[in-house]
Amino acid sequence: MNTLKQLEEEAIYIIREVAGQFNQPALLFSGGKDSIVLLHLCSKAFYPGKIPFPLLHIDTGHNFQETLDHRDYLMEKYQAHLEVGYVQDSIDAGKVLEEKGKYPSRNSLQTVTLLDAIEKHKFDACIGGARRDEEKARAKERIFSVRDDFGQWNEKLQRPELFDLLNGRIHSGENVRAFPISNWTELDVWEYIKQEKLELPSIYFSHKRDVYQRDGQWLPTCSFHLIEKEKIENKTVRFRTVGDISCTAAVLSDANTIDEIVDEIKSSSFSERGARMDDKRSEGAMEERKKVGYF
């Protein structure tokens, strides 16, 4: 467990640096495993005090109900303050349009809602759960990732990070996304969840669900996709990643405990992001979203 201890200490150091260097930080919270780990790390970083900054959740309106219920439970458990931005508000205001086509999703629409929330609350740093092993665009991120006054990411503006020195100086209007678990892997996250006995939404564990197969992926039934009834099957599945229900695929799995999930991940030949349909829209889908302000 020495590796987990080192990763934990690095993450807590980064979280404390964010709190020390910025005036109005926030923790981006999706209700998924990575943000739950971050919430726990923040609690440890400031124990016995409360977490000194709010959490921000961008609600697409297409979230898994299990995730929302668990989010509310955790807010009470950690006595955390939660701010919520609603994608539906952005749609109603005419700032974004509902997608059409084969995979209509609100996942990419979150960007506008997020940037509006950052401006509304004057957040100058947002702590996120991105990890470099997730996707090639994530691997380019610095721990302190500078965003310009339009909220956009430009790899040419990123700073070197030498000897664990984190530079939080920004110009007026800019903000930073901070990633304390950048150096963790999916397996590290699950080993840490096991070690700390963290509670997760039930959808991470095997359960029966109506799904349908499309492009080699098992997608949960929802009202946002056109589905031919004869294709719907009731399968034993779980989710490796939690996002907008309209773009998050399930995996066939009987893993019902953390030990079984760890064993499954060790033998897996594809990344957890392989179950995110929005990443498959183009070769550089993630990087394109990041450049306009995505998490």
Side-chain angles (χ1 to χ4, degrees):
M1 291 294 121
N2 285 339
T3 299
L4 285 185
K5 184 64 176 174
Q6 291 171 359
L7 289 172
E8 180 188 66
E9 289 176 351
E10 178 187 54
I12 288 175
Y13 163 72
I14 293 166
I15 290 165
R16 288 173 176 165
E17 283 294 300
V18 173
Q21 293 194 42
F22 297 95
N23 296 317
Q24 291 285 106
L27 170 61
L28 300 177
F29 190 80
S30 69
K33 67 182 188 309
D34 296 324
S35 60
I36 289 173
V37 165
L38 273 178
L39 175 60
H40 183 70
L41 288 166
C42 287
S43 178
K44 277 195 165 189
F46 303 107
Y47 181 83
K50 294 182 180 179
I51 298 171
F53 41 75
L55 281 64
L56 174 61
H57 178 219
I58 304 302
D59 187 345
T60 66
H62 293 171
N63 297 95
F64 290 91
Q65 188 59 48
E66 297 95 326
T67 304
L68 295 178
D69 292 343
H70 195 71
R71 176 201 69 183
D72 295 340
Y73 161 73
L74 290 175
M75 294 308 100
E76 184 174 348
K77 176 181 178 180
Y78 285 92
Q79 295 184 299
H81 175 68
L82 178 70
E83 297 285 353
V84 181
Y86 296 95
V87 171
Q88 187 63 53
D89 290 345
S90 299
I91 295 171
D92 293 343
K95 293 183 176 182
V96 293
L97 296 174
E98 288 273 24
E99 293 185 352
K100 307 293 183 183
K102 189 175 184 180
Y103 294 117
S105 171
R106 288 185 173 182
N107 200 50
S108 62
L109 307 186
Q110 295 181 80
T111 300
V112 170
T113 311
L114 171 63
L115 296 180
D116 283 348
I118 289 173
E119 183 176 358
K120 174 183 176 181
H121 299 288
K122 301 187 185 307
F123 294 137
D124 52 0
C126 293
I127 301 170
R131 306 188 323 269
R132 289 176 177 142
D133 78 319
E134 286 182 284
E135 203 270 347
K136 60 185 179 182
R138 295 291 201 201
K140 298 178 181 179
E141 290 278 22
R142 300 290 193 267
I143 290 174
F144 276 12
S145 179
V146 181
R147 306 299 171 105
D148 65 22
D149 53 358
F150 295 103
Q152 299 176 341
W153 177 78
N154 184 338
E155 63 183 46
K156 295 179 181 179
L157 297 180
Q158 305 309 308
R159 299 125 177 216
E161 292 175 342
L162 307 173
F163 310 111
D164 295 327
L165 298 176
L166 301 173
N167 181 359
R169 295 181 181 178
I170 55 176
H171 296 103
S172 177
E174 293 178 338
N175 63 77
V176 162
R177 308 291 167 79
F179 301 114
I181 60 172
S182 286
N183 296 325
W184 297 43
T185 65
E186 182 187 11
L187 187 57
D188 292 328
V189 169
W190 279 103
E191 293 281 13
Y192 189 74
I193 289 168
K194 176 183 176 182
Q195 174 185 288
E196 301 295 303
K197 298 180 174 59
L198 301 184
E199 299 172 277
L200 298 177
S202 59
I203 59 175
Y204 278 110
F205 302 94
S206 67
H207 59 283
K208 288 286 188 180
R209 184 178 290 264
D210 286 342
V211 293
Y212 64 100
Q213 193 168 33
R214 182 178 289 177
D215 295 340
Q217 300 276 17
W218 290 101
L219 297 175
T221 57
C222 64
S223 60
F224 330 121
H225 290 166
L226 294 175
I227 308 168
E228 297 178 22
K229 289 185 177 180
E230 64 270 18
K231 292 184 178 179
I232 296 176
E233 302 178 58
N234 191 258
K235 295 282 188 179
T236 301
V237 300
R238 72 177 192 87
F239 293 87
R240 286 178 67 181
T241 179
V242 174
D244 188 301
I245 193 172
S246 62
C247 65
T248 306
V251 294
L252 301 179
S253 173
D254 292 315
N256 203 31
T257 67
I258 291 178
D259 284 330
E260 291 172 345
I261 290 173
V262 167
D263 289 340
E264 186 178 89
I265 292 169
K266 286 179 179 178
S267 62
S268 177
S269 60
F270 64 92
S271 162
E272 63 191 299
R273 294 293 304 194
R276 295 294 290 271
M277 303 306 295
D278 50 330
D279 287 353
K280 301 179 183 299
R281 295 186 175 192
S282 70
E283 182 65 24
M286 170 69 80
E287 187 151 346
E288 291 166 6
R289 294 199 304 277
K290 273 162 45 64
K291 286 180 178 179
V292 296
Y294 188 76
F295 301 102

